[in-house]
Each structure stands twice: as C-alpha cells, then as structure tokens.
Amino acid sequence: MIKIDIPRSDVVLTRNPVKGQPVEAPLSSEYGFSDYNKIPRDKGGIFMFFNINDELLFVGKARKLRQRIKKHFEDQVSPIKNHRDEVHEIAVCIVESPMEREIYETYLINELQAKYNVEKVFYK
C-alpha cells in the first residue's frame, strides 16, 4: 500500500471580516479575499477552499496558482460559482511536479471528501 501524507500549507488566506472594502484587488475583495499577493505568481501546486467550520469545499491544482485561484472568484464557469460566499479560507501548497499535483488533488478529494468536487470522486 502507498502512504501519502497530506501536504503542509505554504500559504493560507482567510476571508477579511469586512468584505467589499476598497483594496488593491477590487474584483476579489467582493468575496473578502484581498491578499492574493502572498501566493507565488509563477509556482504550481494545489489549493483547498474551506468553509468557516473547516470543512473542505473544493480542491484544485494549477501550474500558476495565483491566476487559477483568482479565476475561481471571477469566472462564471467555476465549479464553486454558486458557493463563493461559503469560502472562508484558502490553503495553498506549492507542488512543482505535475504528477505529484495530480496525485495530491485526487487523494485530498477522496480522503477529506471535498464537497464540490464532482470529478475524481471514488468515495460515493
């Protein structure tokens, strides 16, 4: 059996208590996240969206983390588009290898039972 450890978060963003305040990133501040600059611009990895009760809502992977995370709060095709208000915390793990990103994403979706991931689900 293969042993996979859940990676440690390199960056954690928490929703600001007062959302909608004017900040440097006005589009993203609508949902209360304004400190995207803490996420490396050109690093790949996985990200996890948690609600206020620390339940995992969504897991994703990206070659460029900052762009992908911001897209989830701006695009109309995002799997969490109807649940953006539920996101309270974003945990980011830097993982450079594409194969490792794929493995971690699938493992986290199934081990922690991500609520809004519909693909790669084996626990249902």
Side-chain angles (χ1 to χ4, degrees):
M1 178 158 184
I2 298 173
K3 174 80 170 125
I4 300 174
D5 293 323
I6 296 174
R8 182 185 53 79
S9 299
D10 295 305
V11 178
V12 177
L13 306 180
T14 306
R15 180 188 297 264
N16 298 333
V18 182
K19 64 181 184 176
Q21 290 258 356
V23 292
E24 294 174 25
L27 240 177
S28 305
S29 71
E30 178 183 344
Y31 295 100
F33 295 99
S34 58
D35 46 0
Y36 290 113
N37 59 338
K38 293 180 181 177
I39 303 169
R41 181 183 302 271
D42 57 349
K43 297 282 186 184
I46 57 172
F47 55 91
M48 298 166 277
F49 295 151
F50 293 93
N51 66 12
I52 201 159
N53 300 323
D54 233 14
E55 297 168 333
L56 185 61
L57 299 176
F58 185 79
V59 178
K61 66 181 183 316
R63 282 185 297 135
K64 295 187 178 186
L65 284 164
R66 188 187 306 182
Q67 292 173 346
R68 178 64 59 82
I69 292 170
K70 285 175 78 173
K71 269 190 167 185
H72 277 288
F73 290 95
E74 298 166 356
D75 276 359
Q76 292 304 313
V77 294
S78 170
I80 65 158
K81 69 180 176 197
N82 298 324
H83 312 286
R84 292 175 178 148
D85 287 332
E86 286 182 57
V87 179
H88 178 72
E89 185 176 272
I90 302 170
V92 177
C93 305
I94 308 298
V95 180
E96 285 298 323
S97 165
M99 184 178 66
E100 287 181 26
R101 286 195 297 259
E102 187 73 37
I103 291 168
Y104 278 132
E105 181 191 34
T106 304
Y107 179 76
L108 288 168
I109 288 169
N110 290 285
E111 186 66 23
L112 301 179
Q113 299 187 357
K115 190 173 181 179
Y116 299 121
N117 284 92
V118 291
E119 297 177 2
K120 302 181 183 180
V121 174
F122 303 119
Y123 62 85
K124 288 186 178 180

